[in-house]
Amino acid sequence: MCGIIGCTGRETETLDVLLHGLDTLEYRGYDSAGVALANGTVEVCKREGEIDRLRAAVDPAMDGPVGIGHTRWSTHGPPTDENAHPHTDCTGDVAVVHNGIIENYDELKAELTAAGHEFESDTDTEVVPHLVEDALADGLSRDEAFRSAVARIEGSYALAAVFAGSEAILATREGSPLVVGVGDDAAYLASDVPAFLEYTDRVVYLDDGEFARLESGSWTVTDAEGRLLEKSISQVEWDAEETAKSGYDHYMLKEIHEQPRALRKCLRGRVDELTGTVDVEALEGLTAESVQFVACGTSYHAALYGAQRLQAAGVPAQAFLASEYATAPAPVSEGTLVVGVTQSGETADTLAALRRAQARGVETLAMTNVVGSTAARDCDRTLLIRAGPEIGVAATKTFSSQVVACNLLSATLADRGDSREIVQALRDLPGQIQEVLDSSRAEAVAERFVDSDGYFFIGRGHQHPVALEGALKMKEITYKHAEGFPAGELKHGPLALVTARTPVFAIVTGTDEEATKTVGNVKEVEARDAPVVAVTDGASTVDRYADAVLELPETEPCVAPVLANVQLQLVAYHVANKLGRSIDKPRNLAKSVTVE
């Protein structure tokens, strides 16, 4: 949550770089934004609201050789100009931006106030520049003062500071991501690579407890005691075009349409349809007696699916909400594998759950989209889902890629004898998704039901996680009430909420027992006058009882959920669009949740 951008060495272009970076990072936080540029003095401009308000307020002549910027997702204090970052000390010579939470800020603020410091905001962040100010007054250098301030704070943070009379950015992290961008004559800092990808694709990932100093194209990384560290430079495979809208009205719609490409990348070099085998280098030699998935939000729904796939293959598996597992982990034994499913690789609850597992001596695997993320660096193994950058807050293509990656993991850990059919279905999946995208009637369904009081989503087996995910997408971007249930659970309580103004989306594929029983549940809904939208491959009789049908190509039962999910993504998108919602930046939400 929240986005940081910094630049030094670009001379008169610093402000442009900061504003561009903030535009790119707006998915991380968008209730206020600000910049600070340093030359002989520090100039700050910040505004409540989206970045366009900052852009309108900032003086184009405001520039300098070094600067930092921030886009905020509120944790302390409401969105106001005063609470926006950057924050400064009493002298105005130190400016700081911060992601995360400072847990002992009340104590520090009381101490600083008693010493005569004046505060202008409700934020926890503002204690940092005042701590730096005190350390400078004691005769410490800027680097020493910054370290001294950081040593006094507790919590999770990514911090960056600039100073009057200096062209350096000082930065550190603890539990919140920071990455250095290495240019030929400039250096960059950001909480996520896309912020500076237009300028350089060479990056250095900071680890917890490390400090970076950036100045006019040079950079160094040290530990908490100031000892120089050797850090390798990585090359980012994404390009700047992948983070643009490319003619789509919203990033979310673009990313829904990118799913065929994303899945091809996820599968490339990992499956052989001629032999029906899966060979993933990152999983070579991996064995497990049991598997525990930990995840949050959309990733948790992918984890539920992954657990089902492994259970069906004869491997004991469970999915846990990471926030619960971190405080009350399930029992483990020798041979337990804990898999953290996290799009960003920076989700605080998932990282906490993985660290709890590591402390108990079990092997960990990160299933993530981001090379060099904290999860990827901390876990014993990493299975990259290769979805490419996802800017929209509501996850779409990353869910599909996670589901496919779960199939790769399942095929690696167990052999059910049907791998050839599954591999072929996975190879066909990108083309079938394109077929859904080209022919979907989701917009017409959205038009018909846009004024509904609420929405229900039901499915059995592998379709249950998709029912949950369909409801989550509807909630996230339309702000409408939506719930997902195992189809058989409707009659155990939720049926009391079903009315003529609550459409039920029923996911039914194939003709097996699950499909037959779900058709029976649809009849229960129909008998209570609720409209039914069938998401189906047409193999069952469900369309006879449906008011509308969203069609799916026929495929293997374990792969069909991905196709059903694409239809539900499109429905949620079109309902939100017709309601005029902020689709890419839904209220109160942020893309990367780096606080517990």
Side-chain angles (χ1 to χ4, degrees):
M1 293 180 283
C2 305
I4 288 173
I5 178 67
C7 172
T8 179
R10 291 296 294 258
E11 299 303 329
T12 59
E13 299 175 333
T14 307
L15 179 60
D16 291 339
V17 173
L18 297 181
L19 292 174
H20 170 78
L22 292 178
D23 283 334
T24 306
L25 290 171
E26 197 169 16
Y27 65 93
R28 294 182 65 95
Y30 37 83
D31 61 33
S32 60
V35 294
L37 287 97
N39 205 332
T41 61
V42 173
E43 290 185 84
V44 174
C45 182
K46 52 187 185 177
R47 288 292 184 273
E48 177 273 330
E50 296 189 359
I51 291 166
D52 284 345
R53 294 197 69 237
L54 172 66
R55 192 182 296 275
V58 72
D59 182 352
M62 176 183 173
D63 223 324
V66 59
I68 52 176
H70 189 270
T71 179
R72 180 175 183 252
W73 188 87
S74 300
T75 55
H76 288 76
T80 64
D81 290 355
E82 293 77 16
N83 288 335
H85 298 215
H87 292 287
T88 58
D89 66 330
C90 294
T91 68
D93 289 340
V94 182
V96 171
V97 292
H98 165 230
N99 295 347
I101 292 178
I102 297 173
E103 295 171 355
N104 61 333
Y105 89 100
D106 277 331
E107 170 191 333
L108 293 171
K109 186 174 181 178
E111 176 187 323
L112 289 162
T113 300
H117 289 266
E118 296 182 2
F119 287 79
E120 298 180 354
S121 77
D122 303 314
T123 70
D124 54 341
T125 304
E126 198 179 356
V127 299
V128 179
H130 290 281
L131 288 171
V132 173
E133 178 188 4
D134 267 3
L136 289 170
D138 289 338
L140 274 62
S141 69
R142 295 185 181 100
D143 291 75
E144 292 168 339
F146 184 68
R147 291 175 186 279
S148 172
V150 171
R152 297 205 59 194
I153 64 177
E154 300 170 4
S156 65
Y157 49 80
L159 286 163
V162 293
F163 301 80
S166 170
E167 296 186 10
I169 300 173
L170 304 183
T172 189
R173 63 158 284 178
E174 183 68 43
S176 192
L178 271 182
V179 58
V180 174
V182 180
D184 293 334
D185 299 310
Y188 307 89
L189 182 78
S191 45
D192 207 351
V193 170
F196 55 67
L197 192 54
E198 182 173 315
Y199 311 106
T200 183
D201 60 359
R202 294 182 295 153
V203 302
V204 176
Y205 295 100
L206 297 184
D207 290 310
D208 283 349
E210 294 181 344
F211 288 74
R213 178 185 177 88
L214 286 64
E215 189 168 11
S216 299
S218 68
W219 59 275
T220 56
V221 178
T222 56
D223 63 14
E225 283 71 45
R227 293 183 291 261
L228 197 64
L229 299 174
E230 294 271 346
K231 298 289 288 187
S232 60
I233 297 177
S234 303
Q235 188 104 12
V236 177
E237 295 182 1
W238 302 345
D239 59 51
E241 179 60 29
E242 290 187 84
T243 63
K245 286 185 183 176
S246 303
Y248 288 91
D249 290 338
H250 299 92
Y251 280 112
M252 182 180 178
L253 185 60
K254 177 198 174 200
E255 289 153 6
I256 290 172
H257 281 264
E258 286 178 337
Q259 288 176 107
R261 178 186 178 191
L263 296 193
R264 289 188 183 100
K265 289 171 67 177
C266 183
L267 293 167
R268 187 174 300 138
R270 292 170 163 178
V271 297
D272 186 336
E273 59 188 293
L274 294 177
T275 61
T277 57
V278 170
D279 184 10
V280 183
E281 183 178 356
L283 303 181
E284 186 176 352
L286 180 65
T287 60
E289 297 297 321
S290 63
V291 177
Q292 296 176 357
F293 290 90
V294 292
C296 305
T298 287
S299 295
Y300 173 67
H301 299 153
L304 284 172
Y305 171 91
Q308 290 180 347
R309 291 293 296 127
L310 284 165
Q311 290 164 8
V315 179
Q318 295 172 280
F320 298 91
L321 289 165
S323 56
E324 294 294 317
Y325 189 97
T327 55
V332 297
S333 59
E334 186 176 350
T336 298
L337 172 70
V338 176
V339 181
V341 187
T342 162
Q343 183 280 136
S344 66
E346 304 292 350
T347 307
D349 288 318
T350 305
L351 292 175
L354 287 168
R355 287 164 182 160
R356 189 71 180 264
Q358 289 171 323
R360 302 164 82 201
V362 300
E363 188 171 9
T364 55
L365 168 70
M367 186 180 292
T368 184
N369 193 38
V370 182
V371 179
S373 62
T374 301
R377 296 197 308 276
D378 286 357
C379 287
D380 299 304
R381 294 173 182 259
T382 299
L383 177 57
L384 294 171
I385 66 171
R386 300 176 177 172
E390 186 175 67
I391 306 301
V393 167
T396 52
K397 64 177 180 176
T398 52
F399 175 78
S400 297
S401 296
Q402 287 168 342
V403 167
V404 168
C406 285
N407 277 284
L408 300 179
L409 177 63
S410 174
T412 299
L413 292 178
D415 183 7
R416 291 181 54 194
D418 59 356
S419 59
R420 185 183 299 274
E421 290 80 5
I422 301 301
V423 166
Q424 183 60 54
L426 291 173
R427 291 295 298 269
D428 290 343
L429 190 55
Q432 291 182 321
I433 290 177
Q434 191 62 56
E435 183 181 338
V436 170
L437 293 169
D438 291 342
S439 62
S440 177
R441 298 188 66 254
E443 185 170 8
V445 170
E447 179 70 41
R448 182 172 178 180
F449 297 113
V450 67
D451 293 324
S452 299
D453 293 338
Y455 303 85
F456 293 92
F457 298 79
I458 60 172
R460 289 176 183 261
H462 289 107
Q463 306 294 3
H464 171 224
V466 172
L468 297 177
E469 177 61 12
L472 179 60
K473 284 294 149 290
M474 189 69 79
K475 282 184 272 198
E476 284 179 317
I477 63 171
T478 71
Y479 316 152
K480 290 267 198 169
H481 179 74
E483 296 294 341
F485 304 101
E489 283 299 297
L490 266 182
K491 57 186 173 290
H492 296 290
L495 203 57
L497 300 175
V498 170
T499 72
R501 291 185 54 80
T502 55
V504 177
F505 289 78
I507 311 165
V508 186
T509 59
T511 57
D512 59 10
E513 183 180 8
E514 287 180 351
T516 301
K517 289 183 177 294
T518 306
V519 172
N521 300 132
V522 167
K523 292 178 182 177
E524 296 167 357
V525 168
E526 184 196 34
R528 286 152 180 85
D529 297 324
V532 173
V533 180
V535 186
T536 181
D537 58 8
S540 70
T541 60
V542 69
D543 55 337
R544 299 180 190 174
Y545 312 101
D547 297 88
V549 175
L550 294 170
E551 298 178 352
L552 308 175
E554 288 190 48
T555 186
E556 288 290 318
C558 66
V559 176
V562 180
L563 299 171
N565 186 62
V566 174
Q567 289 281 25
L568 297 181
Q569 290 171 348
L570 289 168
V571 171
Y573 171 82
H574 288 298
V575 170
N577 202 30
K578 293 176 188 303
L579 291 171
R581 305 302 194 216
S582 179
I583 291 174
D584 288 331
K585 297 171 287 187
R587 69 187 182 198
N588 302 331
L589 302 179
K591 184 67 176 174
S592 180
V593 184
T594 56
V595 294
E596 295 181 64

